[in-house]
Amino acid sequence: MQNVNAIDFAYRSYHTKVTPAYENKLDDSVCVNCGQCLLACPVNAIYEKDDTKDVLKALKTKKHVVVQTAPAVRASLGEEFDLPAGTLVTGKMVSSLRKIGFKKIFDTQFGADLTITEEAAELIERLKENKNLPMITSCCPGWIKYIEHFYPELLKHVSTCKSPHDMFGAIAKSYYQNKYKINKKDLVVVSIMPCTAKKFEIQRKEMKKEVDYVLTTRELARLIKSKKINFNKLKDEEFDTPLGLSSGAGTIFGASGGVMEAALRTAYETATGKKLEMLEFNQIRGMSDFKEGSIVINNKTINFAVVNGLGNAREILEQIKNKKCKYDFIEVMACPGGCIAGGGQPKPTNKEIVQKRMNAIYLNDKNKKIRKSHENPAIIQLYKEFLGRPLSKKAHKLLHTSYIKRGT
Ligand code: SF4
C-alpha cells in the first residue's frame, strides 16, 4: 500500500507468516508506523500498543493530567458508538473526557493554528530567500520517517515545524505550566490521535517528552466503554480555554489538502496584508491521490501540490531529486485521504466512510466563526504574552525540530 515493504509473507504453506525480513523486529525495520497494515489486516492480527492502562494510572494520581484531541477524532469517534459515519461528536467527546477525569480538555486544533502561523512564516521566508524550495509540510510523522529512510538527501526541503500535537505539548509544558503555576513534574499531556505514528513520534529525542502518552481513536473508545459512559446520551460540552480555542483552518488539518489550504489562507493574508476573497481552495479538496493549484502572492505565482499515500510521495520526491519539480510548496500525508483515514481510526475505514468523515470536517470549518489560524485570539495572545513573533528565537526553540538520516 505505502511502497515501504516493511512486512511481507515469509515461508510456505502452513508455515507462512507475515513478518519483517529475516524476522527482525518491526522497530528495526523501515516501518513508518502509519498503521495502514493494521486497517488492512483481514484477521485483526496487527494492533497498536495499548497505552490506556498507563493513562488510567496517571489519572489516579494527584497529577495535573490534560488531554488534547486531534481534528480527525471528532469526525470518527461516533462510529465506535454506532453513529453513522460523518457524525461530528465534538461536544460528546469533550464531555466524555471530562467524565473520565482529565483536568483540562484542550484541542490539537489550537496546535494546528500555531503550526500554520509558524509554517506560513517559514514559507514566506524561504520564498523571499529562494532557499530550500520546494518546502514540504512536516506534520505527519509517518511521512517524516519515510523521507528519513528513503530520501535523506532531500530533508532540507522539509519544514522544521513540529507537528501540531507536539507544538501543543511544548506550549503546555512552558507557557501553560508557568501561567497556571503547575509544578513541572505534575503536568502530564495526553494526545488523542487518529494516528499510530504519533506513538513513535513522542519517543523521538528531538521531541523532549513534551507529550507523555498518545491514545488512538479506538483506544479512547475502549476507555469510554470501560468507564461505562453512555456516550450517545452525553450532553455537549465545550473545550477549556485558552488552549482549546481554534479556527476552521485548524479543523481541516484532518483531511488531505487541509494543511495546505490552512497555510495558504494565512500565508496570503500575512504576506500581502489583503483579505482573501475566497477561503475555499476546492482544487485541493477531495480524495484524489494528487492535487495541485497555484496562487499569486505579491506578484509571484506560487505553485503547490498535495499528495497522500507514500507511493505517491515517492513520485514527487523523484521529481525533486531530478530537478524536475515545478512546485514551491508541497503537502504530504502518509495515509490515503489524510488523518481521517489514519491507522488509529475505527474499523472499517474505507473510501466511502473516509469521504463522509471528510465532509464533516469541511462542514465544521464552514460553520466556524474564525476560519484563519492567524485570527485565532488565543494564538494572538500567545505571541503577545510569550513567543513574541513567528520564527522568533523562543518560537524556534520550542516549536521547531530537526531530522535524522536513517538507513534502508
Ligand atoms: Fe498519522 Fe495523519 Fe500521517 Fe496518517 S496521515 S501517519 S494519521 S499524521
Side-chain angles (χ1 to χ4, degrees):
M1 254 190 103
Q2 294 286 52
N3 234 310
V4 169
N5 303 316
I7 51 173
D8 208 334
F9 293 102
Y11 309 111
R12 306 179 77 177
S13 178
Y14 55 84
H15 297 294
T16 305
K17 44 160 95 167
V18 177
T19 168
Y22 308 112
E23 292 199 49
N24 282 338
K25 285 204 285 185
L26 204 53
D27 249 3
D28 301 328
S29 75
V30 291
C31 172
V32 299
N33 308 299
C34 66
Q36 288 300 312
C37 56
L38 183 162
L39 293 178
C41 178
V43 292
N44 282 331
I46 313 175
Y47 41 88
E48 71 270 53
K49 180 183 164 284
D50 190 307
D51 289 306
T52 52
K53 283 199 183 84
D54 290 334
V55 171
L56 282 171
K57 217 162 132 190
L59 284 167
K60 278 187 189 143
T61 63
K62 289 207 171 105
K63 295 200 171 192
H64 187 92
V65 188
V66 302
V67 67
Q68 57 166 326
T69 62
V73 177
R74 68 209 68 190
S76 64
L77 181 63
E79 293 163 37
E80 292 279 352
F81 299 93
D82 300 324
L83 294 171
T87 309
L88 269 181
V89 292
T90 319
K92 290 189 195 311
M93 175 184 72
V94 171
S95 167
S96 66
L97 290 165
R98 242 179 229 123
K99 281 204 169 1
I100 289 170
F102 291 99
K103 284 270 186 322
K104 296 281 175 185
I105 322 298
F106 290 137
D107 201 348
T108 312
Q109 290 182 185
F110 168 88
D113 281 336
L114 187 55
T115 304
I116 283 306
T117 311
E118 288 293 315
E119 199 165 76
E122 188 184 4
L123 176 68
I124 293 164
E125 195 174 273
R126 287 197 196 196
L127 287 168
K128 260 190 210 152
E129 294 172 5
N130 199 14
K131 201 172 143 198
N132 295 335
L133 293 170
M135 185 172 100
I136 318 180
T137 57
S138 56
C139 44
C140 167
W143 147 244
I144 293 298
K145 191 157 182 272
Y146 179 84
I147 188 171
E148 286 180 332
H149 277 299
F150 297 101
Y151 291 87
E153 69 279 18
L154 300 181
L155 277 169
K156 65 175 187 207
H157 291 280
V158 180
S159 159
T160 58
C161 288
K162 286 181 182 171
S163 68
H165 90 122
D166 255 308
M167 279 205 184
F168 176 97
I171 291 302
K173 291 200 173 168
S174 54
Y175 170 74
Y176 172 74
Q177 184 189 294
N178 297 342
K179 192 169 164 129
Y180 295 93
K181 300 190 179 20
I182 300 157
N183 193 327
K184 199 174 176 187
K185 282 193 209 137
D186 287 343
L187 182 58
V188 178
V189 178
V190 178
S191 300
I192 312 289
M193 298 280 125
C195 178
T196 45
K198 304 269 187 210
K199 284 183 187 268
F200 166 80
E201 186 188 30
I202 60 168
Q203 295 169 34
R204 292 181 68 116
K205 73 169 177 11
E206 299 87 2
M207 297 308 167
K208 302 177 193 124
K209 294 204 182 322
E210 284 147 349
V211 173
D212 298 280
Y213 302 104
V214 167
L215 300 183
T216 61
T217 313
R218 290 189 300 270
E219 283 173 282
L220 173 60
R222 289 205 289 274
L223 205 58
I224 296 169
K225 286 172 190 169
S226 75
K227 291 276 177 186
K228 304 213 178 332
I229 294 169
N230 191 341
F231 187 80
N232 293 340
K233 290 241 163 91
L234 289 173
K235 287 220 167 77
D236 287 355
E237 291 184 14
E238 299 281 333
F239 285 107
D240 288 301
T241 55
L243 309 188
L245 285 177
S246 68
S247 75
T251 308
I252 57 176
F253 253 67
S256 157
V259 180
M260 175 64 71
E261 183 169 333
L264 291 174
R265 289 180 191 177
T266 289
Y268 180 86
E269 294 205 353
T270 51
T272 62
K274 292 185 206 152
K275 292 268 172 217
L276 261 175
E277 277 171 29
M278 175 93 166
L279 288 186
E280 290 82 9
F281 288 74
N282 289 322
Q283 67 272 51
I284 48 169
R285 292 186 173 192
M287 295 285 292
S288 310
D289 300 341
F290 179 83
K291 297 166 272 189
E292 62 181 343
S294 62
I295 186 171
V296 178
I297 299 183
N298 293 336
N299 299 323
K300 187 174 166 27
T301 302
I302 312 298
N303 296 311
F304 52 86
V306 170
V307 284
N308 57 87
L310 294 171
N312 305 313
R314 188 181 279 264
E315 282 175 33
I316 218 155
L317 287 168
E318 283 295 321
Q319 289 176 16
I320 301 173
K321 202 171 156 182
N322 298 319
K323 306 209 179 318
K324 288 193 175 142
C325 179
K326 61 172 187 178
Y327 304 107
D328 302 291
F329 189 24
I330 301 166
E331 176 199 299
V332 180
M333 298 303 252
C335 300
C339 301
I340 43 168
Q345 290 284 63
K347 296 181 194 179
T349 285
N350 56 38
K351 263 199 168 168
E352 195 191 324
I353 290 174
V354 171
Q355 183 65 62
K356 287 183 179 160
R357 294 177 191 159
M358 201 178 253
N359 297 345
I361 274 184
Y362 284 114
L363 185 68
N364 193 222
D365 164 46
K366 207 173 163 193
N367 291 335
K368 282 253 190 184
K369 265 197 207 127
I370 296 166
R371 297 183 64 196
K372 295 171 248 174
S373 300
H374 57 287
E375 291 183 352
N376 175 348
I379 296 288
I380 296 170
Q381 191 185 359
L382 175 70
Y383 278 102
K384 207 166 143 197
E385 282 180 17
F386 187 65
L387 291 172
R389 57 176 176 79
L391 307 182
S392 68
K393 212 169 159 194
K394 199 182 236 177
H396 254 293
K397 190 167 168 243
L398 288 168
L399 309 178
H400 291 252
T401 187
S402 56
Y403 309 109
I404 54 172
K405 295 181 180 183
R406 298 175 196 268
T408 48

